[in-house]
Amino acid sequence: MPIGIIRIVRSFGHRQLYDDYNRTKEGAIAVEYIVMDMEWNQAWPGSSAARQPLPSPMRGEIIQIGAIKLNQTLEVVDSFNERIAPQYYTELHPKVAEITKLSNRDLQKGKGFHTVFNSFCDWCGDDFVFLAWGTEDLRILRKNMDL
């Protein structure tokens, strides 16, 4: 059964759906695989951040993008890991801190989302298959791209 695969195109807001049947004329997949995982922060219920209006409604603000790049034989050939300084949910939720082992101080050292996302796109290259752990990562990414 084919696995649904999302390919993120450099221009923000544009996505194209591909599946694992996209192959070259020779029949081999001519791409690298990007396996991504993101961490995101959420507002504390009742906090001022939870009540503030946002440019786009979102459940979580991305605070870290991590990924590995696999070649056609599924060997790890590179990795990407960048922290992102939050702009909206600036206080780390206690559960997020517990899971990620990050602190508010760690987040202050991060870069802006669009800076990190552009670096991530550059790192991915031009011909890749994008894999994520679940659809929630993709929804959160989409909302953060809209900000």
Side-chain angles (χ1 to χ4, degrees):
M1 179 167 180
I3 299 170
I5 297 173
I6 298 291
R7 181 176 178 161
I8 302 246
V9 180
R10 173 167 306 281
S11 61
F12 287 96
H14 290 87
R15 297 179 298 179
Q16 294 178 321
L17 188 61
Y18 286 79
D19 63 33
D20 63 354
Y21 289 106
N22 287 332
R23 300 181 186 280
T24 65
K25 292 177 184 156
E26 294 81 36
I29 297 174
V31 296
E32 293 179 303
Y33 298 95
I34 306 296
V35 182
M36 184 184 78
D37 188 32
M38 294 181 304
E39 304 300 341
W40 63 84
N41 193 25
Q42 298 172 324
W44 294 31
S47 70
S48 61
R51 293 187 303 271
Q52 83 181 39
L54 300 173
S56 174
M58 66 178 181
R59 287 193 30 227
E61 183 174 11
I62 298 172
I63 56 173
Q64 188 169 15
I65 297 176
I68 58 169
K69 188 181 289 185
L70 306 173
N71 64 16
Q72 294 174 9
T73 59
L74 304 181
E75 298 169 310
V76 175
V77 295
D78 203 358
S79 64
F80 182 93
N81 187 20
E82 288 282 345
R83 287 196 189 117
I84 298 169
Q87 300 299 305
Y88 301 99
Y89 303 148
T90 56
E91 290 295 317
L92 198 56
H93 190 286
K95 192 65 171 172
V96 174
E98 178 186 330
I99 292 168
T100 64
K101 308 297 186 232
L102 293 173
S103 69
N104 285 319
R105 183 175 293 172
D106 293 328
L107 296 185
Q108 292 170 358
K109 297 175 187 172
K111 300 173 186 168
F113 171 77
H114 293 291
T115 300
V116 172
F117 188 70
N118 284 333
S119 294
F120 177 67
C121 288
D122 290 342
W123 176 82
C124 287
D126 294 325
D127 198 15
F128 63 92
V129 174
F130 184 75
L131 306 168
W133 294 109
T135 59
E136 192 63 19
D137 276 356
L138 301 176
R139 280 193 275 277
I140 296 290
L141 177 59
R142 177 73 178 165
K143 290 294 185 180
N144 279 250
M145 288 169 63
D146 290 341
L147 294 176

